[in-house]
Each structure stands twice: as structure tokens, then as C-alpha cells.
Amino acid sequence: MNKSILEGLGKLLCVKSLVTLALTAVFAVLSLGGGISQEFMTVYAVVIAFYFGTQSRKALPAKGDDGHDGT
């Protein structure tokens, strides 16, 4: 297999990703059954926001990484 594919699969298996995938699966099942509670929606929204917030934070360069001091 390609090395980048294996690295991607390795990153996918971290606990944060597994929890997000499990909650998404539960969300899909509950939405098909029509039994989503407000409490679950709140928890799901917080987890998804945290997950994508940390992912986008990793993609952004840290301040000063581009050789500029921000001015």
C-alpha cells in the first residue's frame, strides 16, 4: 500500500476520530428512526465542533512559521 494511505489510516484510528465516527453512526441510526433528543444533538454538535476545530487548527501554520512576525 501507499505510505500516505497507511499514515492516513493510522491517524484515523486515534481515539478522537473513533469517538467522532461512533457518534456519527449513532446520529445516523437515530435520525433514520426519528428519535434524536435535544441532549444528544447538543453533545453531538460539541463533539463535531471540537473535532473539526482541532483538525483545522492543525492545518493552519503557527504564528511566525512563515518567517514573518505578523506585522
Side-chain angles (χ1 to χ4, degrees):
M1 278 191 169
N2 192 347
K3 186 178 179 180
S4 63
I5 294 174
L6 290 175
E7 288 177 4
L9 288 174
K11 290 179 182 178
L12 184 64
L13 293 178
C14 72
V15 174
K16 181 176 57 174
S17 296
L18 291 175
V19 168
T20 304
L21 290 173
L23 271 174
T24 302
V26 170
F27 178 79
V29 169
L30 288 176
S31 66
L32 290 174
I36 300 177
S37 68
Q38 185 62 39
E39 291 84 12
F40 181 79
M41 284 295 296
T42 302
V43 170
Y44 183 69
V46 167
V47 170
I48 294 298
F50 173 76
Y51 179 75
F52 284 109
T54 57
Q55 292 297 344
S56 67
R57 192 72 145 141
K58 288 179 185 177
L60 295 174
K63 193 173 189 177
D65 283 353
D66 60 354
H68 295 94
D69 63 355
T71 57

